[in-house]
Structure formats: C-alpha cells, structure tokens
Amino acid sequence: MTDSLTVRDNRTGAEYEIPITDGTIKAADLGQIKLNDDEPGLATYDPGFVNTASCRSSITYIDGDKGILEYRGYPIEQLAEKSNFLEVAYLLIHGELPTKEQYENWVHEITFHTFVHENVKGFMQGFRYDAHPMGMLMASVGALSTFYPESRHIEDPDNRHIQIVRMIAKMPTLGAWSFRHAQGKPYIYPDNELSYAENFLSMLFKMSESKYAADPRIAKALDVLFILHADHEQNCSTNAVRSVGSSQVDPYSAVAAGIGALYGPLHGGANEAVLKMLRRIGTKDNIPAFIEGVKNGEERLMGFGHRVYKNYDPRAKIIKKACDDVFEVTGVNPLLEVAQELEKIALEDEYFVKRRLYPNVDFYSGLIYEALEFPPEMFTVLFAIGRTPGWLAQWLELTQDKEQKIARPKQIYTGARTLDFVPAEERWA
Ligand code: ACO
C-alpha cells in the first residue's frame, strides 16, 4: 500500500501524486495542480472547516462515533470521578499529571493570583447596570493585557507560564464580579483559604457572613462541570484563540477572542434553549405531542445531537450523575422529570435512533445551573471559566509549533473587477 493519493486533473489529463500523512493531505500540495503557470493552483473550499485540520495537537482526543473524550490520553470519565479541576488544568497545560510537589506549587500559584488590580474593579464598575456578564468578562480579560504589558513576550517560557497562571486564577474573580454587578451587589474579594470552586461560590454568593461555607456537594459538582468543559479540541472558541494567537499577540487578547466566540448562541448558548424548551413542554403528558412536532420538522429537540458525537456524549452521562448530587442539596428541579422522560422516549424513537441523535453536554447542564440559582446569562460564563485551561493549553501548543503560520484563509472572490472610479461630485451631478 502506498500512502499517497493519485489525482488526475480531467481539465488537462495531468496526474499528480500527493502524499497522505495522518489521514490528511497537505492543502498546499494541491497548489501544483493548475491549468497553466499564470494561474493560482487548486485550493479547497471549506467554510466552517468541516473537513480541514488546522493543526497537529496532542491535547484532546475525541472519537465521536464511539463517544470517547480524552484529555492527554486520560478518559474524561476517570478525570471527572477521580481528579479535580486544577489537576486537570495542570494536565492540559503541561501534558502530564503533576508530582505531589508540582501539584502543590501549581495550586499555590493559582490560589495566590486570584486577586486583580483595584483598577480592574473600577473598570468593571463602569459597565451599565444591566451589562451582560459575558461582555464584561470578555472586556476585562482583554483589559488584563494592559495591566501585564510584558505578556506580549510570548517567546519567553517563564513569561508564558505566569500569564497562564494569572488567567486561570483570575477568571473566577472576573466571572463572579460580572454576576454581582448585574445584581447591584458589592464585589467580593477572593478567599485564598478556599478551593478553586469554593472560592468562586464565595465570590458569587457571600453576603455579610465573615466566611462563606459552600456545601461540599455543590462545590464538587461545580468542579466536575469545570472539568467537563475544560477542552474540546478545535471547537469555534478554541479556533478563535488559535487564530488570534497566530498573530503572536499576548494571551489575554487571544483568550478574549475565545470568550467572544463562546458568547454566540450556536456555541455556548444551547443549555439555555434546553431550559426554555423543557419549560414550554411543562409536564410529561405533553411530551408525545412535542416529539411529533420535532419529527415533523417543526422544531429541534434542543440538547440532542452533535456535530462530532454520533453516540451518547460522554459528558452528558457524567452531568446526569452531577444532577443527582446537586438536587440532593437544592431539591429536585421539577423539569428533571420531563427531561428524563423526554430522553427515554427519544432514545427509543426511530427518528432519533436512525439519525444517531443522543443527549449532548447541554441537555442536563442548564438544569443544574438553574438549581444553583444562576440566571441563564451566567451559564456561558461558567463554560468560559472551565474552558480557560483548554484555551491556554492550545495557545501554548501553538506558540511552540514550528509548522504554524499566521491564520490567513483563502477566499473565492465573487465581486466585481477593474471598475473605473468616478468621483462623487461627478456621480451625483
Ligand atoms: N432535533 C431533531 N432533529 C435533529 C436534531 C435535533 N436536536 N439534530 C439534528 N437533527 C436532524 C436534522 O434535522 C437532520 O435530519 P435530516 O437528515 O432528516 O435532515 C439530521 O438530524 C442531521 O442534522 P444536522 O443538522 O445535519 O447535524 P449537524 O451535525 O449539522 O448539527 C447540531 C449538530 C447543530 C448540534 C444539531 O444536532 C442541533 O441543532 N442540536 C440541537 C442544538 C444543541 O443541542 N446544540 C448543542 C450542541 S453541544 C455544544 O455546542 C456544546
């Protein structure tokens, strides 16, 4: 077997041999296929990169047919059950699990960088009373680049490290303050005696008590949710981080771009849509009629289906378990019953079976967030906090990848050519 592709150009009859590596061909190799030397060579057209690899990466592996998700080779199920978010963040960034000493240093570093400059607080207080927390998060992460101007020296490994630590550490502070802002409540400073998730909950919900004590089951569930969202290879926001990072800008600006991408409803907003759908269905009796409507193409069953997973999204299974833990504390969200019945019916229905539509990560996450009293605008902020180590691991990989170039796709030009410009005073005369 030869690892190559023979291409015959039927326009000219010429044949070309193009090497196949890792199941891909190099798009640039197609450039040699041309009608004559004056023309640009053949290119590929792939809006949304549905079949184009943009990088080599050793961070996250997904097998959508089998429902497998691994970070640095470790199955998500094992990490969610036996690890914690900061250890997973270390794994994503460094590529290997930490020794005891490395872990303790890492947790210490992250914990002691949770505070932000007071001017950041002043900056955030300048937002309108009803500012969307994602807009506030995106702007304040971008603003951090002005507080750490040395972060532009991305060629320096020590410098890269400290910016990574700062960003993972400060994201919950900025996220929690965005939440408090809309409620007109004072911003709460980090408490360095608490774990990552406990500290976040404290900054979100603390009022006049001297110390906020989160229920350990809630803190654990939140930590697991962060783990589940920590990376998902070349999704829209990660691609944004890499694309902006490829200009060699500082990492705060690159991650701010990722937050912008996540803000969009096609990426981070589906769990809110699931809640709305469940509320509309209301009771189990209404499910058959709703399913009929979906099958007739009137609407989609939100929280079902995925571009990559054609099997049960492994994260959805873990979230289902986290639901039980959270509802033990908060009381059951009445919509859970509707969701479970909906899932049961859909998984047995030929329409969904044939199309390989299974619950995705968003089917149950909104129910948990609602039980924790988060307004829907905060759902995506939670996603962003969890995704930060993934964005940074991908950015770090990019900065060290000799094959990477500044992102600059081609286009197929469809506009006018060589028009003669007539000055306004003549055109309007
Ligand atoms: N409900 C009903 N039918 C569906 C659904 C759904 N949720 N998802 C896909 N289908 C059907 C389509 O109508 C299509 O049927 P057809 O072949 O008869 O036309 C077939 O399944 C294939 O669907 P596509 O839209 O081609 O699949 P694609 O991979 O492009 O879409 C997507 C994936 C966008 C996630 C889709 O499944 C969907 O809209 N799901 C609901 C929204 C959702 O839950 N999004 C969250 C995704 S997870 C995340 O982003 C973190």
Side-chain angles (χ1 to χ4, degrees):
M1 191 177 83
T2 317
D3 279 344
S4 70
L5 186 72
T6 302
V7 179
R8 186 185 144 84
D9 185 345
N10 292 327
R11 298 170 304 178
T12 59
E15 282 200 358
Y16 304 84
E17 181 134 345
I18 296 178
I20 298 177
T21 318
D22 299 323
T24 61
I25 57 163
K26 283 204 167 114
D29 285 348
L30 297 175
Q32 61 184 305
I33 304 175
K34 44 174 89 169
L35 285 176
N36 57 58
D37 285 344
D38 299 337
E39 293 205 348
L42 202 65
T44 56
Y45 176 58
D46 191 6
F49 297 130
V50 293
N51 197 25
T52 297
S54 62
C55 61
R56 291 173 182 280
S57 182
S58 61
I59 300 170
T60 289
Y61 174 79
I62 301 176
D63 183 331
D65 282 335
K66 298 200 182 105
I68 293 173
L69 169 61
E70 294 170 359
Y71 297 159
R72 301 285 189 184
Y74 294 97
I76 190 70
E77 294 82 358
Q78 292 183 25
L79 294 172
E81 192 191 334
K82 299 177 189 159
S83 184
N84 64 60
F85 179 63
L86 286 189
E87 188 179 37
V88 168
Y90 185 99
L91 173 69
L92 286 168
I93 301 287
H94 294 89
E96 285 176 4
L97 288 169
T99 62
K100 186 167 187 289
E101 196 190 346
Q102 286 166 334
Y103 176 71
E104 284 168 0
N105 284 342
W106 175 248
V107 173
H108 181 85
E109 278 190 297
I110 303 276
T111 308
F112 284 84
H113 281 91
T114 47
F115 277 71
V116 294
H117 193 290
E118 276 297 288
N119 287 1
V120 174
K121 188 174 156 196
F123 166 77
M124 292 182 77
Q125 280 167 333
F127 278 93
R128 262 181 67 128
Y129 67 96
D130 58 352
H132 194 292
M134 273 301 268
M136 288 183 70
L137 186 68
M138 176 166 57
S140 48
V141 169
L144 288 182
S145 74
T146 67
F147 289 84
Y148 306 109
E150 76 282 7
S151 62
R152 76 172 74 99
H153 298 298
I154 63 164
E155 68 294 342
D156 172 4
D158 292 340
N159 195 329
R160 291 194 299 245
H161 174 78
I162 186 67
Q163 312 313 335
I164 287 172
V165 166
R166 281 182 176 139
M167 227 172 317
I168 296 173
K170 295 181 199 309
M171 201 62 94
T173 312
L174 300 174
W177 288 5
S178 308
F179 171 73
R180 302 280 293 202
H181 184 82
Q183 303 183 329
K185 290 180 181 159
Y187 298 178
I188 302 293
Y189 287 105
D191 181 341
N192 290 352
E193 286 174 9
L194 300 178
S195 73
Y196 193 83
E198 286 168 342
N199 174 46
F200 180 50
L201 288 165
S202 164
M203 291 187 289
L204 288 164
F205 299 122
K206 185 169 180 289
M207 290 308 291
S208 61
E209 64 273 43
S210 57
K211 199 160 185 80
Y212 182 83
D215 188 297
R217 290 166 294 183
I218 300 278
K220 173 72 186 151
L222 197 58
D223 196 76
V224 168
L225 282 158
F226 286 154
I227 294 175
L228 298 184
H229 288 91
D231 197 47
H232 213 230
E233 50 122 298
Q234 306 312 313
N235 55 86
C236 176
S237 58
T238 301
N239 181 58
V241 170
R242 279 185 173 262
S243 185
V244 172
S246 76
S247 74
Q248 300 190 351
V249 74
D250 68 88
Y252 298 101
S253 304
V255 168
I259 297 173
L262 191 64
Y263 199 172
L266 290 188
H267 194 2
N271 45 16
E272 186 184 345
V274 173
L275 273 185
K276 282 195 188 134
M277 174 190 77
L278 293 175
R279 224 169 264 136
R280 199 156 41 84
I281 298 173
T283 63
K284 289 202 286 185
D285 309 341
N286 296 331
I287 293 177
F290 171 80
I291 293 273
E292 271 321 296
V294 170
K295 285 159 63 173
N296 293 336
E298 286 159 26
E299 61 183 306
R300 290 205 159 189
L301 172 50
M302 298 309 288
F304 259 65
H306 196 277
R307 172 59 63 76
V308 179
Y309 294 116
K310 301 301 170 197
N311 201 323
Y312 214 102
D313 180 339
R315 301 169 300 175
K317 278 191 199 147
I318 303 166
I319 288 195
K320 233 171 138 180
K321 162 80 179 57
C323 272
D324 297 340
D325 299 341
V326 168
F327 294 155
E328 205 181 290
V329 183
T330 62
V332 176
N333 187 331
L335 294 176
L336 177 69
E337 238 195 359
V338 180
Q340 284 172 332
E341 184 66 13
L342 194 54
E343 178 188 340
K344 191 165 152 273
I345 292 178
L347 288 180
E348 285 166 2
D349 191 295
E350 203 219 326
Y351 174 94
F352 298 92
V353 174
K354 205 171 106 199
R355 290 171 178 77
R356 305 180 71 191
L357 300 171
Y358 293 85
N360 60 49
V361 69
D362 286 323
F363 193 65
Y364 287 103
S365 63
L367 289 174
I368 298 190
Y369 296 151
E370 188 175 68
L372 296 178
E373 296 181 7
F374 286 113
E377 311 84 76
M378 272 301 283
F379 294 0
T380 330
V381 172
L382 300 167
F383 192 154
I385 295 172
R387 184 55 56 87
T388 300
W391 285 332
L392 291 166
Q394 301 271 351
W395 169 78
L396 191 62
E397 192 174 64
L398 167 89
T399 61
Q400 293 163 292
D401 182 347
K402 300 266 181 292
E403 288 185 1
Q404 283 297 318
K405 294 179 185 300
I406 186 167
R408 205 316 184 178
K410 272 184 178 277
Q411 64 166 12
I412 300 171
Y413 180 67
T414 60
R417 290 286 324 280
T418 56
L419 303 177
D420 274 326
F421 178 74
V422 180
E425 57 274 22
E426 287 177 37
R427 291 196 322 273
W428 298 340

